[in-house]
């Protein structure tokens, strides 16, 4: 019998917050302000970057490539890392590894 397991809001928010910290770290490495990154990612509101970094918002799938390119990272590896935080169950299924593995920033840099 199949069972449905849904992440709690607290667990999902904690995962998104960890993903947001990765975005913030990459942004800081590039020397960008939130406003500058928003502009590079063609976002209308720079406050959306703050929401992403705080774990309140998520990067829309249609913006993953431009975020990766703006942050100077490989788009495929960036999407893999984001999936770890936004959908850890899918990440574990696709990559047969724990979503708790640490992010290796040197690996995702182009």
């Amino acid at each position: 019998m199949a069972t449905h397991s849904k992440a709690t809001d607290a667990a999902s928010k904690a995962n998104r917050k960890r993903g947001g910290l990765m975005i913030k770290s990459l942004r800081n490495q590039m020397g960008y302000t939130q406003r500058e990154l928003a502009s590079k990612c063609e976002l209308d509101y720079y406050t959306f970057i703050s929401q992403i970094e705080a774990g309140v918002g998520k990067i829309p799938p249609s913006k993953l490539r431009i975020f990766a390119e703006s942050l100077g990272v490989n788009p495929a590896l960036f999407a893999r890392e984001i999936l770890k935080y936004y959908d850890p169950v899918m990440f574990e299924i696709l990559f047969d590894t724990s979503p708790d593995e640490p992010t290796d920033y040197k690996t995702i840099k182009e």
Side-chain angles (χ1 to χ4, degrees), residues 41-44 48 59-68 78:
C41 293
E42 302 173 0
L43 298 173
D44 294 329
F48 189 50
I59 299 171
S62 63
K63 292 285 187 182
L64 285 172
R65 181 174 299 280
I66 197 165
F67 262 82
F78 181 73

Side-chain angles (χ1 to χ4, degrees), residues 70-88:
S70 296
L71 293 168
V73 296
N74 178 289
L77 295 176
F78 181 73
R80 180 185 189 275
E81 287 300 302
I82 286 298
L83 186 62
K84 180 185 343 182
Y85 302 114
Y86 290 178
D87 194 341

Side-chain angles (χ1 to χ4, degrees), residues 5 9 19-20 26 37 43 51 61 65 68 75 78 99 101:
S5 176
D9 287 344
L26 291 168
L37 180 58
L43 298 173
Q51 293 173 352
R65 181 174 299 280
F78 181 73
E101 69 179 17

